[in-house]
Amino acid sequence: MYLTNEEEKALEGEYGEALGQAYRVLLAVGELLEAKRLIRIASAHISGVNYSNLGEVGLEFLEEFSRGARVSVYTTVNPCGADLYEPADYVPELFLDRQRRIREAFLRMGCNESFTCAPYEAENKPAPGSHVSWAESSASIYANSVLGVWTNRESGLSALASAVSGKTPEGGVHLEENRRPGYQLVVDARLRDYIDYSLTGLLAASRTDATCIAFVGMRRPGGVEAKHLSAAIGSAGSSSMFVVRDGREAGVETERLGQEELDEARREFYSRPEPGSNNLFILGCPFYGLREVEELARDVAGRRARARVLLQVSNSVYEEARRRGLLEALKASGVGVTRGACGTLTPVDKWIEADAVYTDSLKGAFYLRKRGVKAYVSDPRQIVRAAMG
Ligand code: F3S
């Protein structure tokens, strides 16, 4: 990969060890992608913030790195493992301590206090056509497929390196030729709701490692449908984006999704929540935007939670919800609104000894099951009905 004189100097550590490390990461990624050069990015989004994922080794690296590193572009970050604004009493002290240190490291480097996996909802909105470096698969797939923003599916480390250098290798889906579908799924089934869209994404992504998936004959997904379709693709495979086409393209690997197969997948993951106070209900995976919060506030009005219900939002969506009086309504109904924290990848279920977890997200149920948790996906209305009196 060609480097300019300035980039060579940065690589050699002339502008500090942290920047040198960042360039070494970008060089390795660039060579893997066979990129010819580095390009400037409009923003970065970094994953690997939750202590449950990062662990002690990751925390040590981050603390050390953040002493000398500063981000050079606008940078948002993924959720923590616990709400650090109003920590719940069930979160172990040691976990809170480690999570606070991770948070401090990111803020020290100049990252935005976003702590969200849906940065496109409020905190990070690049103009269509921009090149960015986003980790968090659900967000990067959404960026490529819905926002018209160009990003590879970055790892936490490569997105951090890009945030510090302001650059990314010009390879993968930063190049037009790699954004053409390498696999198409003919959707010969009726998609009833956003959960069916999620299942379609999950099934497609688990069958191919094509960078771009084309869905043929499927109604173009709307806001929530596209959000969950992106998240499901990210959880089950390595694809970086999707497109929706009216007709098939010749010469592209093609498979069909029939109603029977979709229904079978739905039976495997979907369940109406059983009433029971020992279930945990998680809403907002990926995090809710303001419109989803508004809808939920309407649905829970006049009800009272009989079980633990967690709603996951970013700090800025939380503040906007407070300004609009939505927060009060949710709290009055007993909904636990958590800020900047992902309860899916954190053992909240163990901490509170829940029997089962019901989530409005297929990605959520998929990951919870990977951790051995009894988990199901259900739509928010069913969840509200089961969890609240
Ligand atoms: Fe976000 Fe956690 Fe789900 S990071 S997408 S809430 S698994």
Side-chain angles (χ1 to χ4, degrees):
M1 187 169 70
Y2 167 78
L3 296 181
T4 63
N5 285 343
E6 280 301 290
E7 288 166 349
E8 287 280 4
K9 283 187 195 166
L11 180 73
E12 295 306 324
E14 279 194 34
Y15 304 123
E17 176 49 22
L19 193 59
Q21 276 180 289
Y23 270 93
R24 287 199 284 282
V25 170
L26 294 184
L27 191 62
V29 174
E31 285 178 353
L32 211 68
L33 294 170
E34 298 180 2
K36 292 204 172 75
R37 60 174 188 152
L38 294 170
I39 51 170
R40 294 204 172 279
I41 53 166
S43 75
H45 178 78
I46 304 173
S47 63
V49 177
N50 188 333
Y51 176 64
S52 301
N53 303 342
L54 203 59
E56 283 298 308
V57 176
L59 168 59
E60 270 171 38
F61 162 77
L62 202 64
E63 285 197 319
E64 181 60 33
F65 186 73
S66 65
R67 285 195 190 103
R70 292 292 169 274
V71 299
S72 65
V73 290
Y74 181 73
T75 301
T76 48
V77 284
N78 241 21
C80 299
D83 183 336
L84 299 177
Y85 301 89
E86 289 176 71
D89 52 8
Y90 52 74
V91 186
E93 260 316 309
L94 183 125
F95 190 97
L96 280 177
D97 170 66
R98 300 299 193 268
Q99 191 62 71
R100 280 191 189 110
R101 285 166 52 189
I102 294 169
R103 175 190 154 89
E104 288 310 313
F106 279 111
L107 296 182
R108 198 159 43 236
M109 288 188 283
C111 298
N112 180 276
E113 193 185 328
S114 49
F115 300 103
T116 177
C117 47
Y120 47 83
E121 290 286 359
E123 296 84 1
N124 200 341
K125 295 184 161 199
S130 316
H131 291 266
V132 301
S133 179
W134 282 17
E136 171 52 44
S137 59
S138 64
S140 54
I141 295 170
Y142 188 88
N144 279 316
S145 317
V146 182
L147 304 179
V149 168
W150 299 37
T151 177
N152 281 316
R153 247 178 94 162
E154 302 291 349
S155 67
L157 189 62
S158 62
L160 176 60
S162 286
V164 169
S165 64
K167 293 176 184 173
T168 192
E170 189 182 33
V173 294
H174 287 289
L175 296 172
E176 181 73 51
E177 66 257 35
N178 297 329
R179 298 174 73 89
R180 294 189 199 113
Y183 172 87
Q184 52 193 356
L185 186 71
V186 177
V187 182
D188 208 356
R190 192 170 68 87
L191 306 188
R192 290 152 286 203
D193 55 13
Y194 80 91
I195 296 174
D196 276 352
Y197 274 90
S198 313
L199 290 164
T200 303
L202 186 100
L203 291 168
S206 59
R207 289 173 176 190
T208 183
D209 55 9
T211 306
C212 177
I213 297 174
F215 295 102
V216 180
M218 177 176 97
R219 181 178 55 73
R220 193 164 285 282
V224 170
E225 293 159 345
K227 186 173 179 173
H228 282 273
L229 175 61
S230 303
I233 292 173
S235 60
S238 59
S239 303
S240 301
M241 59 182 290
F242 70 85
V243 293
V244 180
R245 294 268 160 88
D246 294 333
R248 303 177 194 203
E249 196 181 318
V252 176
E253 184 193 355
T254 305
E255 290 186 308
R256 173 185 170 272
L257 174 69
Q259 192 69 50
E260 223 171 86
E261 197 183 346
L262 181 67
D263 290 347
E264 195 186 314
R266 192 162 174 119
R267 278 193 295 277
E268 187 189 335
F269 282 101
Y270 180 86
S271 175
R272 273 172 198 245
E274 289 166 23
S277 57
N278 219 22
N279 291 328
L280 169 63
F281 297 89
I282 299 179
L283 297 161
C285 167
F287 281 13
Y288 271 16
L290 202 61
R291 201 175 300 168
E292 293 160 288
V293 175
E294 270 168 356
E295 260 174 48
L296 182 68
R298 265 199 305 273
D299 287 349
V300 301
R303 299 171 184 257
R304 181 79 204 158
R306 295 177 299 194
R308 202 180 288 265
V309 184
L310 297 184
L311 167 63
Q312 307 183 145
V313 293
S314 69
N315 188 40
S316 55
V317 170
Y318 182 96
E319 287 302 339
E320 189 53 35
R322 188 211 300 274
R323 270 192 288 278
R324 296 187 186 202
L326 302 168
L327 211 59
E328 247 171 49
L330 289 165
K331 288 189 171 175
S333 294
V335 174
V337 187
T338 66
R339 254 182 291 178
C342 163
T344 310
L345 301 176
T346 312
V348 176
D349 52 287
K350 279 213 183 83
W351 292 337
I352 67 164
E353 298 179 350
D355 292 337
V357 180
Y358 291 89
T359 163
D360 59 350
S361 158
L362 182 62
K363 172 180 177 173
F366 187 81
Y367 278 131
L368 283 157
R369 285 185 184 192
K370 271 192 170 178
R371 287 206 286 111
V373 180
K374 198 171 149 197
Y376 305 95
V377 61
S378 202
D379 58 85
R381 290 237 159 97
Q382 297 281 4
I383 287 179
V384 166
R385 230 169 276 154
M388 321 202 77

